[in-house]
Amino acid sequence: MAHITVEDLVKTFAVAHRSPGFWGSVKGVLKRDWHEVRALDRIGFSIERGELVGYIGPNGAGKSTTIKILSGILVPDSGRVSVIGFTPWLDRIAYVGRIGVVFGQRTQLWWDLPVIESFDLLRDIYAVPKHRYRSCRDELIEMLDLGGFLDTSVRQLSLGQRMRCDLAAALLHEPELLFLDEPTIGLDAVSKLAVREFIAELNKKRGVTVILTTHDMDDIEALCSRVMVIGDGRILSDGTLSELRASVTRERWLTVDLAEGGPAALVNDPDVRLIRHEGRRFCLSFDPQRVSVPDLIARIARNYAVHDLFVENPPIETIIARLYESRAARAAGRPVAAP
Amino acid sequence: MRAYLAILSSRIRTLLQYRAAAIAGVATQLFFGIVRMMIFDAFYRSSASAVPMTHEQTITYIWLGQGMILLALFGVDKDIAEMIRSGSVAYELTRPLDLYSLWFARALSGRATPLVMRALPIFSVALLFLGLQPPPTIANAVVFLVAAVGALLLASAIIVLLTVLLLWTISGEGINRLVPALIFFCSGIAIPLPLFPEWLQSAIAVLPFRALMDTPFRLYMGHLSGAAALSALVHQWTWIIVVVLAGRMILARGLRRLVVQGG
């Protein structure tokens, strides 16, 4: 049986609406207009044990709502959810004892306590047996390199240090499932790499299932074998990164540096589209089904003095942005309830 | 249970570090205790009619009140109030804990530690120099301690109740201004309750607030004994149960509401 099954999940929020201006506020006192925002519109998916799934979407798409329902915080309007055999909101206390949750925007450690005391407190909260706790804690301290600031109180930690401590804190009770909501938000490059490396290792070595939301596409490229994209409360796409790419666009990018001394002419070819150019560097997009890569390169090398060139896939950001745009364009064609 | 005890003891250890606040509190309460002593001194000298408490008893009552004033000064739990305002209170649900018990443990530790840190020095100074009488018998001391623990539980339950009322912002904040004033007046910290006029006594007897101060103090002095002592303890525990149940109910409904509003 799948680790996580979600079927027909619906969650709406009632949002108070007030007309602008003074009379609007007066009216609002007497009668409030509520309108419904459908955060999740019958979404469904299933996730197997040991998967590392990226869950992405623009702000307000329903990412956090999904994570909050799966982690037992929110109660959905309708739909079925089964996670490691539990329905999260029905048996919350027993369920959350078996999962780990990290919200990048906040800490679950105690501000006033030294890191190590927060860990000890979590041992009591999760009722982890002493010897298990000690070996697990020491392993996490080593993997995340926390040794240097265990006696520092949480409020004095840098964001990167705090995030590493939060990851450890979420794993002390050895959960088989980990929810990460924007774990790399605001981190510097080095901390991001450390966090990514840790997540990958955790998934590989301990077999922990990880669901990760993020706006950082590098997180996705580095970590996730599977990507789910949500927009307007629906799953827009679900599959591997290359499947996602293929479903949105076939295009590839060719970057050409023209040689010094030669004419810095604008590269002009009927089969390519210029995306941008800086000085002598031109970035072109083409469809490999219309023109093969060797043909295109040969053609360009014949007509221009080429210094260097390389072919790449469009960055994942671009792919995702396209996906959102096409979705929005389609949505604009039909009447939309939400503002 | 173990988890809540761990949180309790961890907070107690943290709060024990606020020694400067405790010293300042002791000095303030000693000062105001002396002022109140002088006021009642004048009152007893000028009063011609019979008074339901002797002058010595009143002085003892005052010093017990100064030492345990934290049982009658109320505020909501600031950290939790902030979480409620920002909506991040929902994240507390990711811990495998009962939220009410967790908050009760916080309120209890937040009250108990500073209380003991102020009461012990104030009682010592007042016993030696300022006219605080020791309890007449060991039994009185024991009953006093029992009632003081009850008062602490009731105080914690009231704090949690006031805090969870903030889930209904508007009414929550109004009640949060009203209740501390009521407590100040009706617990006995302003004027010993036995000195209140007859017509107010029946209302004060029913309200929960006398169980915070007046009940333990009068048990200490032996001013209540036998059936009256027992009924005062029953009154205290009835209110503890009522306030806890009310707090639990409001929290459960409030969380559902919070969830409906999103966040």
Side-chain angles (χ1 to χ4, degrees), chain A residues 12-27:
Chain A
T12 50
F13 294 115
V15 176
H17 175 78
R18 207 190 71 190
S19 326
F22 174 73
W23 283 111
S25 348
V26 174
K27 250 169 47 194

Side-chain angles (χ1 to χ4, degrees), chain A residues 222-242:
Chain A
L223 288 172
C224 302
S225 51
R226 176 177 167 195
V227 190
M228 293 195 294
V229 186
I230 186 175
D232 285 341
R234 292 181 198 199
I235 303 280
L236 303 182
S237 155
D238 183 353
T240 63
L241 255 185
S242 46

Side-chain angles (χ1 to χ4, degrees), chain B:
Chain B
M1 198 61 201
R2 191 193 152 93
Y4 306 107
L5 288 178
I7 286 167
L8 195 81
S9 83
S10 134
R11 276 207 89 211
I12 287 176
R13 267 178 289 137
T14 310
L15 289 166
L16 276 175
Q17 296 174 18
Y18 294 109
R19 261 169 307 195
I23 292 167
V26 167
T28 313
Q29 296 322 322
L30 282 174
F31 173 76
F32 280 105
I34 291 169
V35 171
R36 294 180 64 207
M37 250 172 81
M38 294 194 286
I39 294 170
F40 280 100
D41 203 38
F43 166 75
Y44 273 94
R45 266 174 221 226
S46 60
S47 169
S49 58
V51 176
M53 257 166 57
T54 66
H55 193 178
E56 287 72 36
Q57 283 178 324
T58 303
I59 287 173
T60 296
Y61 195 105
I62 287 172
W63 284 117
L64 291 174
Q66 294 308 113
M68 296 167 70
I69 196 156
L70 284 180
L71 287 177
L73 294 182
F74 277 85
V76 296
D77 186 321
K78 293 235 168 56
D79 296 345
I80 298 176
E82 183 48 41
M83 284 197 294
I84 290 174
R85 208 182 351 263
S86 68
S88 62
V89 59
Y91 295 108
E92 290 286 290
L93 295 172
T94 59
R95 297 189 200 279
L97 292 175
D98 173 55
L99 210 49
Y100 185 88
S101 309
L102 176 64
W103 290 0
F104 191 88
R106 279 181 60 95
L108 186 60
S109 51
R111 230 3 74 161
T113 321
L115 177 76
V116 173
M117 282 166 84
R118 283 163 181 72
L120 292 182
I122 291 175
F123 288 170
S124 317
V125 173
L127 260 174
L128 291 174
F129 307 110
L130 296 167
L132 171 64
Q133 304 289 320
T137 68
I138 299 282
N140 285 103
V142 172
V143 190
F144 163 73
L145 283 177
V146 170
V149 170
L152 190 58
L153 294 176
L154 180 59
S156 310
I158 294 176
I159 291 170
V160 181
L161 180 63
L162 292 179
T163 307
V164 300
L165 277 174
L166 289 177
L167 289 166
W168 279 261
T169 355
I170 297 165
S171 48
E173 278 173 16
I175 291 170
N176 270 320
R177 300 230 170 96
L178 183 70
V179 171
L182 255 179
I183 290 175
F184 189 71
F185 200 63
C186 300
S187 62
I189 187 65
I191 298 165
L193 296 186
L195 304 183
F196 273 55
E198 207 59 50
W199 58 272
L200 255 179
Q201 290 292 349
S202 51
I204 284 169
V206 177
L207 287 173
F209 310 114
R210 71 179 166 105
L212 293 170
M213 310 216 92
D214 187 71
T215 300
F217 300 171
R218 285 163 79 182
L219 289 169
Y220 175 102
M221 299 185 295
H223 204 257
L224 291 174
S225 54
L230 192 65
S231 106
L233 287 175
V234 169
H235 166 268
Q236 186 183 52
W237 274 93
T238 310
W239 273 110
I240 293 172
I241 292 165
V242 168
V243 178
V244 167
L245 289 180
R248 275 192 168 284
M249 209 177 70
I250 289 171
L251 177 61
R253 298 188 59 170
L255 283 178
R256 225 172 298 146
R257 204 178 108 102
L258 183 91
V259 160
V260 169
Q261 287 193 344

Side-chain angles (χ1 to χ4, degrees), chain A residues 148-164:
Chain A
F149 42 86
L150 284 175
D151 295 321
T152 312
S153 70
V154 174
R155 68 170 75 252
Q156 290 168 312
L157 296 180
S158 76
L159 189 59
Q161 293 171 331
R162 205 217 74 203
M163 180 46 62
R164 274 143 66 199

Side-chain angles (χ1 to χ4, degrees), chain A residues 259-305:
Chain A
E260 292 285 342
L266 198 67
V267 174
N268 209 342
D269 190 289
D271 284 329
V272 303
R273 190 168 56 81
L274 181 69
I275 299 173
R276 63 172 179 270
H277 101 268
E278 296 150 14
R280 290 169 177 273
R281 166 167 288 198
F282 295 83
C283 184
L284 311 161
S285 134
F286 66 99
D287 179 349
Q289 295 202 342
R290 258 174 63 190
V291 51
S292 76
V293 177
D295 276 0
L296 182 66
I297 291 177
R299 213 148 76 195
I300 287 181
R302 209 176 320 127
N303 295 333
Y304 304 94

